[in-house]
Amino acid sequence: MKELEATIAELTAELVAVSGKISESKARTWIELLWSDFESTYAKAGYDYKGAEMTERYIRQFIQSYGPNIDAFAGRNPKYAHLLDAAD
């Protein structure tokens, strides 16, 4: 298994490349937030922990689905909207 820091850096670079309009700092914030959100929501739902690989797979799917338009996703979700207005 890859080290978590390396995985987060890889996902950050992927989001920056797919989006084309998000800074590396903001992309990293997104990745860390999504990672934390997914794992905590999964645990709250009572599912057994499936490992970092499953979380990474989820985030990659998110990047493919919303990466190019991450600002539109955040605009529809008040939980994330503040990320659009935050300075890097």
Side-chain angles (χ1 to χ4, degrees):
M1 184 177 102
K2 289 185 269 182
E3 185 179 317
L4 181 58
E5 180 61 34
T7 301
I8 294 213
E10 187 178 303
L11 291 167
T12 297
E14 189 174 325
L15 179 56
V16 168
V18 168
S19 169
K21 57 188 166 190
I22 190 172
S23 71
E24 185 173 342
S25 172
K26 198 169 280 192
R28 184 174 178 99
T29 299
W30 269 102
I31 298 302
E32 290 173 350
L33 179 64
L34 288 167
W35 192 284
S36 174
D37 252 15
F38 178 77
E39 289 195 341
S40 65
T41 301
Y42 204 75
K44 285 179 190 174
Y47 296 115
D48 291 335
Y49 182 64
K50 302 286 186 185
E53 294 86 6
M54 182 172 182
T55 305
E56 180 181 354
R57 198 167 41 248
Y58 164 78
I59 293 174
R60 284 194 192 285
Q61 289 174 340
F62 179 90
I63 291 170
Q64 290 172 0
S65 297
Y66 296 104
N69 300 307
I70 200 160
D71 53 335
F73 171 79
R76 289 192 318 261
N77 190 330
K79 183 175 182 179
Y80 301 118
H82 70 279
L83 290 172
L84 290 174
D85 300 325
D88 287 328

